[in-house]
Amino acid sequence: MSSSAAHAASAPTSSANGTPARRDLIARLKPSLPAWLAVIGLFAVWEASVHLFGIREFILPAPSAIWSATIAIWPTVLDHTLATLTTVLLGFGASVAISLPLAMLIAASPAISAAIYPLLVVTQSIPKVALAPILIVALGANEFPRIIVTFLVAFFPLVVGTVAGLLATPPELIELGRACRAGKLQELVRIRLPFAVPFVFGGLKVAAALSVVGAVVAEFVGADAGLGYLIQTSMAFFRTPLAFSAVVILAIMGIVLFQTVSLLERVLFPWSSGAEHAATPAA
């Protein structure tokens, strides 16, 4: 009897403990629910429209046809995806490693800013599609030119965003640091850089998405692997579902990289991302 009574007493407790957990899970999933419903609705309308209007597969394949084409040769698609992902990560990593120190130099010295900023604008004024063949001729048909193109596409918004954040530090904080005898380096690292964290992560999010664009641009010009190469070869033989599959994977890749940067911001700098305001007090 005592065992039955203990079990009966623990049941309401576990039920009570489970209800807040479910509520917390629902509260976390609720903000993303409209986005998921919109995506599902888009694919449903797409599938129905293709069948309803009898659109030929080589013009606009249905999502089911795209899925079937992907599954049929998924090891090949996976190899091309990994090749593009490698280029994206290397180019994005190079943009982060170079852009942040460069932005700090620009923010620290007006003379350096006047000398470097025009060169940065020039690099962005050159179409990367036109630059990629020159790099391939100069450096060879290997991974290095594709990484450089990816870097050139991604690094500019990161530099601009970081510089804007470093220079947007309130003058009161700068004066306070100088009153405490902070040197130029201390002012930059301890005052300006923490204030610029939201700007830095804003640039990182844009750079992460643009890295995917840069890698595909480079693969269109010269590559023997990658999703850009897969799109070109697929369309050459009118394998439109496979080309659409590569496009969808590229979109997913960009979204995952963007959300990864957002997650790092929430974990490392919750005060920057505003994550502390996401939770509402319980009634």
Side-chain angles (χ1 to χ4, degrees):
M1 291 294 294
S2 59
S3 175
S4 301
H7 178 73
S10 64
T13 304
S14 61
S15 176
N17 292 336
T19 301
R22 287 195 297 270
R23 289 177 179 174
D24 184 59
L25 179 61
I26 293 173
R28 291 184 179 183
L29 295 178
K30 190 175 180 180
S32 61
L33 185 60
W36 284 107
L37 292 177
V39 171
I40 294 172
L42 173 64
F43 280 102
V45 171
W46 182 356
E47 181 82 22
S49 299
V50 169
H51 292 291
L52 180 63
F53 296 104
I55 302 175
R56 296 185 178 182
E57 188 176 272
F58 71 90
I59 298 177
L60 180 64
S64 57
I66 297 172
W67 175 258
S68 300
T70 306
I71 294 301
I73 57 168
W74 69 266
T76 302
V77 175
L78 179 61
D79 290 340
H80 288 297
T81 301
L82 293 177
T84 299
L85 182 61
T86 301
T87 303
V88 169
L89 293 179
L90 291 175
F92 178 65
S95 69
V96 174
I98 295 175
S99 298
L100 295 181
L102 184 61
M104 295 176 71
L105 281 176
I106 293 174
S109 171
I112 295 178
S113 176
I116 294 180
Y117 245 123
L119 297 178
L120 298 180
V121 175
V122 168
T123 60
Q124 295 305 300
S125 302
I126 301 173
K128 304 307 178 289
V129 178
L131 185 61
I134 299 175
L135 292 175
I136 291 175
V137 171
L139 302 175
N142 51 54
E143 185 75 13
F144 193 48
R146 297 193 287 274
I147 295 174
I148 292 179
V149 172
T150 305
F151 160 77
L152 290 175
V153 172
F155 92 106
F156 186 72
L158 183 53
V159 171
V160 172
T162 304
V163 171
L166 293 172
L167 297 180
T169 307
E172 296 82 3
L173 292 179
I174 303 299
E175 292 299 329
L176 179 61
R178 290 173 181 174
C180 296
R181 298 182 180 180
K184 281 287 186 181
L185 183 59
Q186 290 178 321
E187 175 187 312
L188 186 64
V189 174
R190 296 188 178 183
I191 300 177
R192 292 186 181 274
L193 192 57
F195 187 84
V197 166
F199 295 84
V200 173
F201 274 93
L204 284 172
K205 293 172 187 177
V206 177
L210 289 180
S211 297
V212 179
V213 177
V216 174
V217 168
E219 290 172 354
F220 277 161
V221 175
D224 55 2
L227 294 174
Y229 173 79
L230 180 62
I231 292 173
Q232 280 192 320
T233 55
S234 299
M235 293 308 300
F237 295 98
F238 294 98
R239 300 174 68 183
T240 309
L242 197 55
F244 269 85
S245 170
V247 172
V248 172
I249 294 173
L250 287 170
I252 294 173
M253 188 182 299
I255 293 171
V256 169
L257 289 174
F258 186 94
Q259 293 299 329
T260 300
V261 175
S262 299
L263 178 62
L264 287 176
E265 182 181 12
R266 289 195 298 269
V267 171
L268 300 177
F269 304 98
W271 52 267
S272 167
S273 62
E276 69 273 13
H277 301 298
T280 56

